[in-house]
Amino acid sequence: MTDQKFNIEKPYAYEIKGGTPLRGDIDISGSKNAALGVIAAAMMVDGPCTLENVPDISDIHVMFELCKSLGATVDMIDIHTYRIDPTTINTYKASGALVSKIRASYYLMGALLGRCGKASIRLPGGCNFGDRPIDLHLKAFRLMGATGAKMTDIDSGIVNLKAEPLCGAKIYLDIVSVGATINTMLAACKAQGKTEIINAAKEPHIVDVANFLNSMGARIKGAGTDTIKITGVPVLPGNFTYSIIPDQIEAGTYMVAAAVTGGDVTIHNLIPTHMEPLSAKMREMGYQIEEGDDSIRVYKNSPDDEIYPTSVKTSPYPGFPTDLQPQTVVLLCMAQGQSRMHENVWQNRFQYVSELTKMGANINAFERVAWINGISGFRAATVEATDLRAGAALVCAALAATGTSYITRAMRIDRGYEHIVKKLTGIGANIRRVNVEEFSEDNEA
Ligand code: EPZ
């Protein structure tokens, strides 16, 4: 990678002087999780395509590097627009270290199986919140005729798939899985005959990947419902420009940041219906949520308005997104009384609670449930971003805290938040990036 700012190995921290209500307008970037699926899907196309509204974040840059390592041509037109030509792909193998840097590298299994009939891919990386199996992905490939798709076939961390030919099949997903839905959809686009995915995930990014593939010539129906039907086609002609949807989770994070600081922020370039689970909960808590066509304003009528506790349970879309769980816990800390958060998607997604406790949070987390007791305010501290969304939650808490906080391992946050320092500064936050050399315990608040 040429751009040092995307060297996710190099540790740096965010220094945040909190306690100022955020005010003003902020724009949302393209969706990380949609863009990752769409870029993988672009690897299957039989001609070039242009992607717009691609977020300028490190996970995307890793994904582009991976595509280039396969031989694909990726040309940047501007920081959000890329022309991708997969016709230069010359291998079906992706086994280098880049693969284990991100979760979405597993989409190359479906994409290369579809394109080449073979895929040899290292197991993916991604945030660590417990067991992240890929058994459903492999089951789908197996039912479509691929060999090498049993867990016991994984050889030194490499999945070697081969399907000659790849055939459509009826696939029931035992658990609603975003990744398995997208991976199956990718492979099925080029399989012979019809595939039906039953109990499919319905997240906005599933629909976005399906819309992209259909624009390229695929035949996918029902994306966004729990049954997706795909009729395989021999060729995906491409030659189309496609714009990625806005990032639901980035938007939700800024909604929380506005609320937790007692601010008044209008968040633009989002899809309000995607935000409904969070908007509904914030209204229940007493926040004002004003929806425009592609914006949401978050504010409180009066600084003295009571903030009510509530209970939240994460679940697949249209349920409450697990990727907004840590940020929402920060918000629940501001309620007067006890709230409850039930994490229904991931086994171990409360690892950040001990960091939040250093900032004054009063939370009891056990297995998948956290009880959150309201506090009068956060205090500044030095805390570690244990993963991407946990890091975003700590940023929200630090923005609300009086004093100077340091969020270490901030490169984890930059995996998914475009230009977070610039965006937050634009609505009045005092945040800057400090390198490890500049950051020492003496700086601790
Ligand atoms: C995607 O992960 C997102 N990542 C995650 O966002 C998000 O938390 C998750 O979906 C749920 O919404 C990307 O899109 C790159 P799953 P994914 O397959 O696809 C179980 C972020 O912060 N499961 O929907 O890996 C699994 O253990 C990231 O942006 C199996 O049992 O998640 C989990 O309990 C973090 N077997 C549940 O399904 C499988 O084969 C949902 O996982 C696959 C999944």
Side-chain angles (χ1 to χ4, degrees), residues 32-33 106 132-136 177-179 323 345-346 389:
K32 167 178 86 82
N33 290 342
Y106 59 18
R132 296 188 73 176
I134 58 160
D135 56 315
L136 298 175
S177 159
V178 169
D323 293 345
V345 178
W346 295 112
R389 307 302 172 187

Side-chain angles (χ1 to χ4, degrees), residues 375-409:
I375 52 171
S376 55
F378 286 104
R379 58 171 183 264
T382 296
V383 285
E384 180 184 325
T386 48
D387 64 59
L388 163 60
R389 307 302 172 187
L394 294 169
V395 167
C396 291
L399 289 167
T402 314
T404 305
S405 294
Y406 290 90
I407 319 287
T408 65
R409 304 222 167 257

Side-chain angles (χ1 to χ4, degrees), residues 32-34 36 59 103-104 106-107 127 129 131-138 175-182 201 203 205 249 315-317 321-323 344-347 349 368 387-389:
K32 167 178 86 82
N33 290 342
L36 289 166
D59 268 22
R103 192 77 197 154
Y106 59 18
Y107 292 145
C127 294
F129 20 73
D131 216 12
R132 296 188 73 176
I134 58 160
D135 56 315
L136 298 175
H137 304 237
L138 295 183
I175 297 175
V176 177
S177 159
V178 169
T181 302
I182 292 183
E203 268 67 6
H205 34 292
I249 307 303
S315 55
Y317 191 83
T322 173
D323 293 345
N344 208 26
V345 178
W346 295 112
Q347 190 186 39
R349 206 173 191 176
R368 287 176 179 252
D387 64 59
L388 163 60
R389 307 302 172 187

Side-chain angles (χ1 to χ4, degrees), residues 154-195:
I154 299 174
D155 182 10
S156 309
I158 312 266
V159 181
N160 294 297
L161 302 167
K162 193 170 177 187
E164 288 164 335
L166 193 64
C167 298
K170 205 166 197 165
I171 288 147
Y172 169 75
L173 297 180
D174 309 69
I175 297 175
V176 177
S177 159
V178 169
T181 302
I182 292 183
N183 237 339
T184 310
M185 210 161 66
L186 293 175
C189 277
K190 284 252 185 127
Q192 292 176 9
K194 294 187 189 210
T195 297

